[in-house]
Amino acid sequence: MSSQDVLKNASTLASYNVLLQVMFRVLTFFLNAFTLRFVSKELIGVVNVRLTLLYSTLVFLSREAFRRACLSGVSGKNHSWRQVINLLWLTLPLGVLWAALLICVWLWLLEVPDPQTIPYYGPAVVLFALSGVQELLAEPLWVLAQAHMFVRLKVVAESLAMIAKCSITVVMVMFAREWGLYIFSAAHLVYTGFLVLCYVVYFIRFLGSKEAEEKGFPLHSVKDLLPRRAKGEPLVDWSLAQLTWSFFKQSFLKQILTEGERYVMTFLNVLSFGDQGVYDIVNNLGSMVARFIFLPIEESFYIFFAKVLERGRDVKSQKQEDVAIAAEVLECLLKLVLVVGLIISVFGYAYSHLALDLYGGSLLSSGAGPTLLRFYSSYVLLLAVNGVTECFVFAAMSQGEVDKYNLVMLALSLSFLFLSYMLTWWAGSVGFILANCLNMGLRILHSVLYIHRYFLSSQWKPLRGLLPSPLLLLTLAVSAVVTALSEGVFCCDSGWLLRLVHISVGAACLLGVLVAVLLTETRLIQFIRTQLLPKYRKKHT
């Protein structure tokens, strides 16, 4: 597969992932808005912080390292799929071990919520852990689908699973509210069960079909999906296993950085369950764009960079055509996330109070909610840039460099936990966002320096993507001032008419910003049209 074909497939995957994440976030957005009217913020805090942390920790530590290693460029070119499948099945026993350990911690080492206010905590812990183990059953199938760009499979599977989860949650919240945590546990079990079912049904129908033969798919029957030894080769590829171990050490540290504030809230009890619920709702609102735009782009283009670049080799020793494409794509991606991040930071400041008031009423718009969302809007910019830079760095690093970077991640993890505790003690829940900003800035600095050194001896300078045009910066600055003044004059306690005026002012400023982007960022617009919009690309190929 040529570099252009890989780029086309990765772009299609990113586009479908963005659409999928948009649907997820919209459904979750309305689901949370609905449940806020029926359940307490303490219950929301336990589900969205304590139990979700259990699930995310289990699945991330069980599968992330395997995913990165098995989708990397080295394994993609010199692997035996029999050995890859065998290695991937290790995620299941690893998940069972993590589940047993985490259940013990969550039940006996952490503070247990008041059973009168939040009943059925113990069974909920077990069920959330079980849902994580259940999802790992589909891990070999997920990696196969990603490696062969089965983009529609992921869209359909996760869409059906999310619709089933939302439906069960809504019905049970309305008619069986007294079941408490059982509602959310059952919904999560159904979600992971639907995921596994969709992947299993697809591959049962696909394997051995004419379509599989035409595509040259490496597996031929359902038996090939199960672990077994092939004649004349070891059970697993040990070089791939060593790379997985390197990524595992890194994933452990990355999980602390990604979910650090939840670990601090869970283990150090710096916020009550009610305050945790409010923080998590604001965090979910603030990260919506990051999750449904930035994360799919990062996941899809990691695959692109891993397939186009040869891990651990410098620029001069690789195909120059591949390096040129990778540099151009990296520059455009940096420009894209930078522009989107700046827009969110500027408009998030003036519209945080209104957004929270519309979403959750005075429960969210009073107190620290608006301040939290304003700070988070600025944090999204750093989150966006870091996602793309680390996406490239992790695809280009050698195994030795990955091991060295683990030490950097360790230092960042320890500093983040310390900063989270100290800044939360000083500034309340805003301290979590400040700690995240500081750590994210250090991660960006490390990645930028690596990218600079990587392309230093070449003619390509992809870091120019971090330099927006002067006209765009001026337009954003004017918009920030105008929308801030509009909020002070028109929002948010003077009725709907003045709120609409405030919204209209923001819409006019946003239109001006988009016009500035169209006039000054022509390469970015061309990249979006040709690589991130499947319908447009189909018409022009």
Side-chain angles (χ1 to χ4, degrees):
M1 186 180 292
S2 68
S3 300
Q4 289 290 351
D5 290 334
V6 174
L7 174 57
K8 179 180 177 180
N9 289 334
S11 301
T12 303
L13 181 60
S15 303
Y16 280 115
N17 278 346
V18 168
L19 294 176
L20 179 65
Q21 291 297 326
V22 168
M23 189 200 72
F24 275 11
R25 294 310 139 195
V26 169
L27 284 174
T28 306
F29 179 85
F30 287 110
L31 180 64
N32 286 337
F34 174 81
T35 54
L36 278 173
R37 271 69 179 174
F38 291 89
V39 301
S40 66
K41 61 182 181 181
E42 287 77 16
L43 184 64
I44 293 291
V46 171
V47 172
N48 289 359
V49 177
R50 178 73 67 85
L51 295 179
T52 302
L53 180 65
L54 167 65
Y55 163 78
S56 66
T57 301
L58 192 159
V59 296
F60 191 91
L61 295 181
S62 300
R63 73 187 183 191
E64 178 68 12
F66 293 88
R67 285 185 171 185
R68 286 197 174 274
C70 293
L71 292 173
S72 67
V74 172
S75 62
K77 295 175 182 177
N78 303 303
H79 70 271
S80 160
W81 272 110
R82 175 74 272 142
Q83 293 177 320
V84 171
I85 295 294
N86 292 340
L87 183 64
L88 286 170
W89 274 110
L90 292 177
T91 58
L92 186 60
L94 183 61
V96 172
L97 290 175
W98 278 118
L101 176 62
L102 293 174
I103 286 174
C104 294
V105 172
W106 256 245
L107 289 180
W108 295 309
L109 295 184
L110 299 180
E111 176 190 2
V112 177
D114 181 6
Q116 299 298 322
T117 307
I118 307 171
Y120 313 121
Y121 173 74
V125 168
V126 176
L127 291 174
F128 264 79
L130 179 61
S131 69
V133 174
Q134 180 176 252
E135 186 173 345
L136 294 174
L137 290 170
E139 193 57 26
L141 309 182
W142 187 93
V143 171
L144 278 169
Q146 288 291 103
H148 294 88
M149 301 292 182
F150 293 172
V151 293
R152 290 180 179 84
L153 172 60
K154 181 179 181 180
V155 172
V156 172
E158 298 194 10
S159 300
L160 291 176
M162 179 56 71
I163 291 171
K165 176 183 178 180
C166 291
S167 301
I168 288 179
T169 302
V170 168
V171 171
M172 295 183 71
V173 163
M174 291 182 65
F175 300 106
R177 201 181 314 170
E178 67 278 4
W179 288 14
L181 292 176
Y182 274 130
I183 298 173
F184 301 93
S185 303
H188 209 72
L189 271 172
V190 168
Y191 171 77
T192 57
F194 258 84
L195 277 179
V196 174
L197 181 63
C198 288
Y199 276 95
V200 169
V201 169
Y202 178 86
F203 275 97
I204 288 176
R205 294 174 59 90
F206 176 76
L207 291 175
S209 66
K210 291 183 179 180
E211 181 184 0
E213 293 178 4
E214 292 173 355
K215 291 183 176 181
F217 197 73
L219 307 182
H220 304 289
S221 67
V222 176
K223 291 182 179 180
D224 292 336
L225 296 173
L226 301 176
R228 60 186 175 85
R229 184 188 296 272
K231 293 183 179 180
E233 62 183 25
L235 187 63
V236 297
D237 184 339
W238 290 109
S239 63
L240 190 60
Q242 290 175 355
L243 183 61
T244 303
W245 173 243
S246 297
F247 277 125
F248 176 78
K249 292 181 287 186
Q250 186 185 97
S251 66
F252 187 82
L253 301 174
K254 187 177 181 180
Q255 175 68 2
I256 295 178
L257 286 174
T258 303
E259 301 281 11
E261 67 271 12
R262 288 183 176 178
Y263 286 115
V264 172
M265 282 188 278
T266 298
F267 286 91
L268 300 180
N269 299 320
V270 294
L271 297 177
S272 66
F273 287 118
D275 290 338
Q276 290 180 27
V278 173
Y279 175 84
D280 185 74
I281 292 169
V282 171
N283 180 64
N284 285 335
L285 281 174
S287 62
M288 276 185 69
V289 175
R291 290 181 178 181
F292 71 64
I293 292 182
F294 301 142
L295 184 58
I297 288 175
E298 176 186 349
E299 290 178 347
S300 302
F301 282 94
Y302 170 78
I303 298 174
F304 163 72
F305 289 128
K307 287 181 176 292
V308 169
L309 299 175
E310 297 185 44
R311 183 181 295 277
R313 299 184 64 179
D314 58 34
V315 172
K316 292 183 177 179
S317 61
Q318 302 194 48
K319 293 181 181 179
Q320 295 306 292
E321 178 187 357
D322 291 349
V323 175
I325 293 175
E328 182 180 356
V329 170
L330 177 59
E331 181 178 347
C332 291
L333 288 177
L334 288 174
K335 184 62 66 69
L336 173 63
V337 298
L338 180 70
V339 170
V340 175
L342 286 171
I343 291 174
I344 293 171
S345 299
V346 167
F347 290 90
Y349 181 86
Y351 290 88
S352 292
H353 188 282
L354 177 60
L356 291 177
D357 192 57
L358 293 174
Y359 186 63
S362 59
L363 176 69
L364 297 181
S365 61
S366 61
T371 303
L372 277 172
L373 192 54
R374 290 187 180 106
F375 274 87
Y376 205 98
S377 298
S378 300
Y379 170 60
V380 166
L381 173 60
L382 298 176
L383 200 64
V385 175
N386 178 74
V388 172
T389 54
E390 283 196 346
C391 159
F392 177 87
V393 169
F394 288 155
M397 277 182 171
S398 65
Q399 183 177 333
E401 289 172 326
V402 171
D403 290 334
K404 290 180 181 178
Y405 187 61
N406 289 336
L407 299 177
V408 176
M409 294 286 279
L410 175 62
L412 289 173
S413 301
L414 295 175
S415 66
F416 173 77
L417 294 176
F418 175 76
L419 285 171
S420 294
Y421 180 75
M422 295 302 297
L423 291 174
T424 305
W425 176 78
W426 172 65
S429 50
V430 173
F432 285 120
I433 302 175
L434 294 176
N436 271 309
C437 288
L438 291 172
N439 273 274
M440 201 61 67
L442 292 174
R443 289 168 66 177
I444 291 172
L445 178 62
H446 176 274
S447 298
V448 166
L449 291 175
Y450 181 91
I451 294 171
H452 174 72
R453 291 193 301 268
Y454 188 87
F455 289 100
L456 186 61
S457 60
S458 71
Q459 59 181 321
W460 299 287
K461 308 296 179 185
L463 292 177
R464 289 179 300 187
L466 294 175
L467 301 175
S469 66
L471 177 61
L472 177 58
L473 289 177
L474 177 62
T475 308
L476 287 168
V478 172
S479 298
V481 174
V482 172
T483 53
L485 292 174
S486 174
E487 182 185 34
V489 175
F490 301 118
C491 196
C492 290
D493 302 317
S494 303
W496 269 102
L497 180 60
L498 292 182
R499 288 184 177 190
L500 291 174
V501 173
H502 180 48
I503 293 173
S504 301
V505 170
C509 291
L510 179 59
L511 180 61
V513 171
L514 295 178
V515 170
V517 172
L518 289 172
L519 293 176
T520 60
E521 305 294 350
T522 54
R523 288 186 63 195
L524 174 61
I525 300 302
Q526 181 66 14
F527 176 77
I528 294 173
R529 284 177 174 175
T530 57
Q531 301 301 334
L532 296 182
L533 297 178
K535 290 183 179 179
Y536 181 94
R537 187 172 60 250
K538 288 177 182 178
K539 293 178 182 178
H540 290 78
T541 55

